[in-house]
């Protein structure tokens, strides 16, 4: 069976070494040594000034919305994983969808201003497949209208834009370290924030609002990463370079051998050092996609329809028509991409096209 992705398992001995440290410390959560160590390593690795590790990649979005969007209207993309939209609704904010750019697949910044009302408080956009949104233009619009910018950067581990970590853009960026993501801690995630004061607020919000054992800064939730999750992260981290290298080769192979008269690929934004996180291809019609998907499935190859359906069509988001997002969602398929996918697998996949 060839799945769309396969979780990277570090050598068991590596993981056991970190577990031994946990047993020795007799400390499982509440910012133990391993969480702090993983934070320090990631800061260096990624080149970010601040990071707060969390228990998954959804709570950081909710915390950012709670602190910055304050129950208002949130301008967002319909082309993302469902967590982007569900977090908005869960936080009692209203998602206002703005269609996507048909090639970059990120929110179409030229349509944002028309969607702003008196109730708009924030923009929550996804750098989908690790492809940056138009950061400069979104920043300009946000400044002009006094809006906060939150980036769902769940797919962006290792991505650089103009030589700098993509996590360093927006008021807040969030990431997911779920087992299916590029870098993982089993379940996990992170909050990135440049501003010291805001970062502090997000930090205490992720730990019940605690400021010491008996003092509270304000309302908070529990989104803390545990030592067990950090142990996985510390075990995976040393292998990231090799993982990225292997993925790069697979992406080149697809690039060299797919027939781009029949399908097209994602257009990456200029000045981006990408992370080879996904290999989406866009068919001309949904029928063509379904035909290829069926043929692949018959050979035990399971690509995924990331991201389908378009989020503006969810039954809890009200009615809106997003022409590009609905069209792309119905025609886009992510091909298998993971470290151990070898040439024979790739040939088998490509033969079917
Ligand atoms: C995976 C993902 C999330 C959610 O992250 P979890 O760690 O699974 O909670 C949010 N947004 C996007 C775009 C994702 O792909």
């Amino acid at each position: 069976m060839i799945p769309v992705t396969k979780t990277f398992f570090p050598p068991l001995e590596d993981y056991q070494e970190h577990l031994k440290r946990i047993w020795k410390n007799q400390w499982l959560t509440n910012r133990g040594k391993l969480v702090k160590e993983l934070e320090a390593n990631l800061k260096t690795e990624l080149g970010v000034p601040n990071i707060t590790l969390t228990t998954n990649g959804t709570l950081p979005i909710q915390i950012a919305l709670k602190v910055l969007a304050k129950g208002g209207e949130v301008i967002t993309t319909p082309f993302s994983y469902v967590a982007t939209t569900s977090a908005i609704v869960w936080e009692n904010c209203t998602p206002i969808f703005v269609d996507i750019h048909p090639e970059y697949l990120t929110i179409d910044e030229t349509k944002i201003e028309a969607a702003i009302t008196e109730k708009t408080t924030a923009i929550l956009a996804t750098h989908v497949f690790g492809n940056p949104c138009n950061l400069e233009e979104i920043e300009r619009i946000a400044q002009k209208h006094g809006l906060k910018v939150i980036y769902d950067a769940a797919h962006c581990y290792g991505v650089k834009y103009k030589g700098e970590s993509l996590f360093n853009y927006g008021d807040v960026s969030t990431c997911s370290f779920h087992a299916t993501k590029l870098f993982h801690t089993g379940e996990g995630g992170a909050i990135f924030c440049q501003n010291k004061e805001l970062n502090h607020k997000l930090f205490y919000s992720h730990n019940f609002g605690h400021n010491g054992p008996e003092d509270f800064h304000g309302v908070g939730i529990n989104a803390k990463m545990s030592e067990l999750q950090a142990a996985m992260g510390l075990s995976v981290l040393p292998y990231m370079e090799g993982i990225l290298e292997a993925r790069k080769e697979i992406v080149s192979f697809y690039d060299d051998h797919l027939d781009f008269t029949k399908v097209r690929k994602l257009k990456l934004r200029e000045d981006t050092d990408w992370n080879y996180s996904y290999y989406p291809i866009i068919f001309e019609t949904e029928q063509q996609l379904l035909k290829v998907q069926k043929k692949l499935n018959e050979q035990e190859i399971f690509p995924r329809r990331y991201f389908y359906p378009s989020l503006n069509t969810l039954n809890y988001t009200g009615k809106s028509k997003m022409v590009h997002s609905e069209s792309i969602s119905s025609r886009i398929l992510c091909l298998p991409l993971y470290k151990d996918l070898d040439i024979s697998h790739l040939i088998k996949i490509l033969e079917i096209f």
Side-chain angles (χ1 to χ4, degrees), residues 69-259:
K70 300 179 168 44
E73 290 182 358
V74 177
I75 290 177
T76 193
T77 174
F79 188 69
S80 182
Y81 181 58
V82 70
T84 316
T85 299
S86 63
I88 296 172
V89 176
W90 195 267
E91 288 304 327
N92 287 320
C93 297
T94 309
I96 304 294
F97 292 103
V98 165
D99 208 353
I100 55 168
H101 188 285
E103 289 182 285
Y104 293 121
L105 310 185
T106 47
I107 196 165
D108 184 346
E109 64 281 353
T110 65
K111 294 180 179 154
I112 290 178
E113 282 196 284
I116 295 172
T117 72
E118 282 146 39
K119 293 186 194 142
T120 311
T121 50
I123 298 167
L124 170 58
T126 302
H127 304 304
V128 73
F129 306 129
N131 196 24
C133 298
N134 187 333
L135 298 154
E136 289 89 357
E137 189 55 18
I138 291 174
E139 176 61 26
R140 189 192 66 77
I141 295 165
Q143 290 277 340
K144 183 174 157 194
H145 296 273
L147 305 177
K148 302 295 182 187
V149 179
I150 303 162
Y151 285 117
D152 180 344
H155 307 158
C156 301
Y157 182 91
V159 177
K160 285 186 174 164
Y161 177 72
K162 296 194 170 161
E164 186 169 346
S165 172
L166 195 48
F167 297 136
N168 284 344
Y169 292 87
D171 291 291
V172 180
S173 284
T174 66
C175 193
S176 165
F177 300 149
H178 184 260
T180 56
K181 301 297 200 301
L182 197 53
F183 167 74
H184 78 89
T185 56
E187 292 271 2
I191 305 174
F192 301 91
C193 175
Q194 306 261 84
N195 180 286
K196 227 175 141 192
E197 214 172 305
L198 176 58
N199 186 58
H200 178 60
K201 190 160 187 182
L202 296 163
F203 179 80
Y204 71 68
S205 301
H206 105 297
N207 183 23
F208 302 104
H210 268 294
N211 177 34
E214 292 167 7
D215 185 24
F216 296 91
H217 278 296
V219 68
I221 195 164
N222 180 6
K224 298 184 304 291
M225 179 178 276
S226 81
E227 292 290 273
L228 294 164
Q229 291 172 289
M232 179 59 83
L234 288 167
S235 307
V236 171
L237 196 57
Y239 296 91
M240 286 312 294
E241 218 179 289
I243 291 171
L244 286 165
E245 208 42 54
R247 285 175 164 268
K248 186 179 177 181
E249 278 183 30
I250 295 162
V251 165
S252 305
F253 197 87
Y254 279 135
D255 281 350
D256 291 345
H257 295 90
L258 275 169
D259 180 356

Side-chain angles (χ1 to χ4, degrees), residues 273-287:
D273 292 321
W274 192 47
N275 62 358
Y276 315 97
S277 47
Y278 296 85
Y279 201 94
I281 51 169
I282 302 163
F283 291 81
E284 272 167 27
T285 65
E286 185 172 19
Q287 284 69 31

